[in-house]
Amino acid sequence: MLRHFIHVLDFSKDELLRIMELTAMLKRADKDGACPRLLSGASLGMIFEEPSTRTRVSFEVAMTKLGGHALYLRPGEIHLGARESIADTARVVSRMVDVIEARTLKHQTVLDLAKYATVPVINGLTDFNHPTQVLCDVFSMTEHAPKGKKLEDLKLVFVGDATNVCVSLMFICARMGMSFTQAAPEKYQVSQAHRDLVREAAAESGASISFSDDPAAAVADADFIYTDLWWWIGQESEIPDRQAAFMPKFQVNAGLMAKAPPTARFMHCLPASRGVEATDEVMDGPQSIILDQSENRLHTEKALLVWFVYPRLKKPSDALLARHRGIAEDFLSDFM
Ligand code: CP
């Protein structure tokens, strides 16, 4: 059955752990300058309806390091949704590439791409979720966990708006059996509809999912303190209200970090509005792991690409390669 990476709750805890194991393996290989070329000759189509630094660079570099190649497909430069339906784009691109990564404005677009594609589709962020980011984040947490704590012991406190990253962190914590708290003014907390989506996963894994409007109390036993932008493209008219609701109580600054255990680490998916949701002092301070987190996007994308593409690739023998080369060369020799 063709599977896509659209939502972390589509995957079992065991599958996500295995992808993280593969991430660690491929990271070690990369650090030795020996990334295995497991996707030699394979192609990745990357559709971006919104700008990106980390997702675009990590997927493209990951594919190159694995021996494959990536194409950047930007609406306006391809026909997606304008002169060609999403279904036809998905069907056609699938005939030429081995995997599609898509960052789409609407979650429905990535669902439609996956419905009609005949190769795996990886969600690179929608208005609903950001699964590649949070898989990377949990992997980063395992690397920076306090000594002696296992994954299920970790407490993540997200301070700020219920962004797609915040909601996705709630999803993955629920699946993995971790502890997740969002600290935000009530109006900006995760909606009941989204909370309902994790009830079953949390019950099964034993995860603790909670919400608070008291960031100082929430971070008191946090292992990781995470924040994200307070507003995004299209929310410009809400900036004064959002500033008033979040500042200064929900800013991650030295004062808030001092309320957390000294072992707590600071995380941000980036891009950040420095001096707004988090101060420079925290972002560049000794507790910050934001750059490790960003680098881990590369290693996570490598693991995801290998997980979804490697099993589907044909692995021709040297004899078969030589046979086809011989046939083509014999043909060409008649004209040269
Ligand atoms: N965190 C993240 O997805 O970054 P980009 O928008 O730069 O891809």
Side-chain angles (χ1 to χ4, degrees), residues 241-255:
D241 284 352
R242 286 172 173 265
Q243 278 269 21
F246 287 105
M247 191 71 101
K249 187 176 167 186
F250 295 91
Q251 184 187 57
V252 183
N253 51 35

Side-chain angles (χ1 to χ4, degrees), residues 10-21:
D10 295 340
F11 291 80
S12 69
K13 177 176 178 177
D14 189 52
E15 286 171 323
L16 297 174
L17 285 172
R18 279 176 187 275
I19 299 173
M20 284 194 271
E21 234 179 281

Side-chain angles (χ1 to χ4, degrees), residues 136-321:
C136 161
D137 293 338
V138 173
F139 174 73
S140 303
M141 287 182 224
T142 63
E143 289 188 322
H144 291 276
K147 237 187 159 78
K149 280 203 173 183
K150 54 185 197 311
L151 188 67
E152 295 79 2
D153 300 330
L154 299 179
K155 176 171 180 178
L156 170 67
V157 176
F158 185 96
V159 182
D161 188 24
T163 59
N164 37 19
V165 170
C166 169
V167 169
S168 303
L169 286 166
M170 177 185 73
F171 293 149
I172 200 161
C173 288
R175 175 59 85 222
M176 305 311 280
M178 299 163 69
S179 174
F180 170 90
T181 300
Q182 182 201 6
E186 211 172 314
K187 180 177 172 189
Y188 297 98
Q189 292 179 4
V190 173
S191 68
Q192 192 56 51
H194 286 165
R195 293 181 198 193
D196 290 347
L197 297 176
V198 297
R199 196 170 297 136
E200 203 180 305
E204 190 183 293
S205 70
S208 156
I209 308 292
S210 62
F211 302 88
S212 164
D213 62 0
D214 184 348
V219 302
D221 57 350
D223 297 303
F224 296 93
I225 298 169
Y226 200 123
T227 190
D228 190 3
L229 296 167
W230 287 347
W231 53 83
W232 187 238
I233 301 162
Q235 292 175 324
E236 291 81 359
S237 63
E238 298 176 33
I239 292 175
D241 284 352
R242 286 172 173 265
Q243 278 269 21
F246 287 105
M247 191 71 101
K249 187 176 167 186
F250 295 91
Q251 184 187 57
V252 183
N253 51 35
L256 187 64
M257 289 302 290
K259 309 264 192 239
T263 51
R265 296 284 174 260
F266 171 73
M267 301 179 77
H268 195 308
C269 52
L270 305 179
S273 285
R274 283 173 173 263
V276 180
E277 71 272 11
T279 58
D280 284 343
E281 195 181 5
V282 170
M283 293 195 63
D284 303 327
Q287 287 167 277
S288 173
I289 59 165
I290 59 174
L291 295 180
D292 288 347
Q293 220 185 318
S294 285
E295 180 195 318
N296 281 338
R297 290 295 304 275
L298 170 63
H299 307 301
T300 307
E301 315 315 15
K302 280 186 295 182
L304 284 168
L305 288 165
V306 168
W307 182 269
F308 284 96
V309 180
Y310 181 79
R312 297 170 51 85
L313 284 183
K314 289 201 167 71
K315 287 110 188 155
S317 64
D318 288 345
L320 185 61
L321 286 168

Side-chain angles (χ1 to χ4, degrees), residues 51-56 103 124 130 133 232 269-271 297:
S52 164
T53 300
R54 280 142 290 271
T55 308
R56 178 179 174 182
R103 168 168 290 193
H130 199 355
Q133 176 68 55
W232 187 238
C269 52
L270 305 179
R297 290 295 304 275

Side-chain angles (χ1 to χ4, degrees), residues 1-169:
M1 186 187 76
L2 178 61
R3 289 185 81 190
H4 307 283
F5 194 68
I6 302 291
H7 188 359
V8 291
L9 290 179
D10 295 340
F11 291 80
S12 69
K13 177 176 178 177
D14 189 52
E15 286 171 323
L16 297 174
L17 285 172
R18 279 176 187 275
I19 299 173
M20 284 194 271
E21 234 179 281
L22 186 56
T23 303
M25 215 178 280
L26 294 173
K27 181 172 181 176
R28 280 194 298 273
D30 213 334
K31 295 293 176 193
D32 284 343
C35 185
R37 297 171 68 82
L38 293 165
L39 302 187
S40 181
S43 295
L44 161 70
M46 305 191 301
I47 296 171
F48 280 93
E49 288 189 333
E50 276 199 326
S52 164
T53 300
R54 280 142 290 271
T55 308
R56 178 179 174 182
V57 175
S58 60
F59 268 104
E60 186 161 344
V61 173
M63 206 58 191
T64 304
K65 281 180 179 269
L66 291 164
H69 130 276
L71 303 93
Y72 181 59
L73 306 171
R74 190 167 169 72
E77 293 171 18
I78 58 169
H79 297 302
L80 179 78
R83 296 175 62 195
E84 189 160 54
S85 69
I86 293 167
D88 280 346
T89 301
R91 290 184 188 112
V92 169
V93 174
S94 294
R95 292 290 187 109
M96 301 183 203
V97 304
D98 301 281
V99 55
I100 296 170
E101 177 277 332
R103 168 168 290 193
T104 60
L105 294 167
K106 297 273 166 241
H107 192 65
Q108 190 57 48
T109 307
V110 84
L111 293 177
D112 289 343
L113 280 169
K115 180 173 173 187
Y116 296 104
T118 51
V119 296
V121 173
I122 299 176
N123 173 359
L125 175 91
T126 70
D127 59 348
F128 170 59
N129 67 348
H130 199 355
T132 60
Q133 176 68 55
V134 298
L135 184 63
C136 161
D137 293 338
V138 173
F139 174 73
S140 303
M141 287 182 224
T142 63
E143 289 188 322
H144 291 276
K147 237 187 159 78
K149 280 203 173 183
K150 54 185 197 311
L151 188 67
E152 295 79 2
D153 300 330
L154 299 179
K155 176 171 180 178
L156 170 67
V157 176
F158 185 96
V159 182
D161 188 24
T163 59
N164 37 19
V165 170
C166 169
V167 169
S168 303
L169 286 166

